Amino acid sequence: MNTPRADFRSWLHAPVPASAGQARAQQIWLGWRRFAANRSALAGALFLLLLVIVAWLAPAIAPYNPYQQSLAMRLQPPSATHWFGTDELGRDIFSRIIHGSRITLYIAVLTAAIVAPVGLIVGTVAGYFGGWLDLVLMRVVDVFLAFPSLILALAFVTALGPGIENAVIALSLSAWPPIARLARAETLTIRKSDYVAAMRMQGASHLRILWADIVPMCLPSVVVRVTLNMAIVILTAAGLGFLGLGAQPPSPEWGAMLSTGREFMMNAWWVAAIPGVAILLTSLAVNLAGDGLRDVLDPRHD
């Protein structure tokens, strides 16, 4: 007698799917198996999942108030009482790292939520319609790409003023052009496909073709590129915080913590080293997870 688990496995491994839902489930399962086979990508994804859980439960996990000062405990080395030591104001670095993960994830996720649709819309519209519209939009993209992302973000955040929200806007303005360029390249190939020509012959509008045919085909590549770009966004956000243009004191932002900790590198290395390691590990995890996601979503990548 077959158990429900055996029936589900047979359904999941059926050679010919009986419905669209079954085909989608099989595709997700095969994608997960391919992703899990990449050990480094799986490790990166697990680290990011742990970081999300830590950020979500930060008030419950952090042993101390991240803003509580105690000059009597300043610059204490790592110990059983303070796992990562204390900073120049006696604040617990472990608690500040935990609460700082919220700021890092907030900046990265919000930036991704802005640049992905903006870049996708600009790129698909430019590639589909072509002509003068493509020329104008791509010249705007070229202007943005002419400057390094950090320099461009610095220029925008200097004009807008310091702060987390302004940092997100500056990062978004510097991160969307590569997404638009990628979406345009994908659209130039897709618009010549037979099924797009068939949709035109059936009288489908340009908006329907873009939304139903072009955008879904460009989406996997855009998702992969945005994921890989998040490492650059995290590093750039930390750079803005390091320069005092991102989150403002006493906010426990990792870049700002690294900036204040550099003054004590000789006699209290942990004040700068701990947030630096946090930035490094998070950026590395995003890159590893992005590589695995590319293997799953991009069938042309070997």
Side-chain angles (χ1 to χ4, degrees):
M1 181 176 179
N2 292 335
T3 63
R5 182 177 180 180
D7 290 339
F8 177 74
R9 288 181 62 88
S10 300
W11 179 81
L12 199 59
H13 294 86
V16 179
S19 64
Q22 184 180 3
R24 192 174 297 110
Q26 290 180 345
Q27 185 178 15
I28 293 173
W29 169 248
L30 291 175
W32 163 248
R33 290 187 59 182
R34 187 173 184 181
F35 183 86
N38 188 334
R39 299 295 180 85
S40 59
L42 185 61
L46 290 176
F47 181 87
L48 292 177
L49 178 62
L50 177 63
L51 187 66
V52 170
I53 295 174
V54 167
W56 182 33
L57 301 176
I61 296 176
Y64 299 95
N65 185 330
Y67 303 102
Q68 183 179 353
Q69 302 179 13
S70 176
L71 296 181
M73 297 296 294
R74 67 187 301 269
L75 299 179
Q76 293 294 310
S79 63
T81 305
H82 299 281
W83 290 0
F84 291 168
T86 60
D87 63 8
E88 72 281 1
L89 296 177
R91 297 171 296 193
D92 183 64
I93 295 178
F94 178 68
S95 300
R96 289 178 64 79
I97 289 291
I98 289 177
H99 281 269
S101 64
R102 286 186 160 189
I103 300 175
T104 298
L105 291 177
Y106 171 80
I107 293 175
V109 172
L110 188 56
T111 301
I114 294 174
V115 302
V118 170
L120 184 61
I121 291 172
V122 172
T124 52
V125 168
Y128 179 77
F129 290 104
W132 66 267
L133 184 59
D134 179 33
L135 183 64
V136 171
L137 292 176
M138 287 303 102
R139 294 299 76 77
V140 173
V141 169
D142 289 339
V143 170
F144 279 87
L145 291 177
F147 301 93
S149 59
L150 179 58
I151 302 301
L152 200 59
L154 283 173
F156 283 124
V157 80
T158 302
L160 296 172
I164 296 179
E165 289 75 16
N166 290 341
V168 170
I169 296 174
L171 291 169
S172 301
L173 289 173
S174 62
W176 71 269
I179 309 301
R181 178 76 72 179
L182 174 64
R184 174 182 178 270
E186 294 279 346
T187 304
L188 289 175
T189 302
I190 297 170
R191 73 174 185 176
K192 300 177 182 178
S193 302
D194 293 337
Y195 66 88
V196 174
M199 290 289 291
R200 291 198 189 99
M201 293 178 64
Q202 293 176 2
S205 64
H206 294 308
L207 181 61
R208 176 176 173 78
I209 294 174
L210 279 171
W211 180 253
D213 297 308
I214 305 293
V215 169
M217 295 297 293
C218 296
L219 198 57
S221 298
V222 169
V223 170
V224 171
R225 183 59 183 267
V226 169
T227 303
L228 292 172
N229 278 3
M230 284 306 97
I232 300 175
V233 169
I234 291 172
L235 291 174
T236 306
L240 294 177
F242 183 86
L243 296 173
L245 298 174
Q248 298 299 295
S251 178
E253 197 270 329
W254 294 346
M257 292 173 62
L258 180 60
S259 177
T260 57
R262 61 179 172 159
E263 302 177 11
F264 308 96
M265 281 293 295
M266 300 304 297
N267 58 350
W269 56 267
W270 56 89
V271 181
I274 298 299
V277 170
I279 296 169
L280 171 64
L281 292 179
T282 303
S283 302
L284 179 61
V286 171
N287 268 329
L288 294 176
D291 285 337
L293 197 61
R294 179 180 57 190
D295 294 340
V296 173
L297 295 181
D298 189 357
R300 295 167 298 183
H301 179 73
D302 191 25

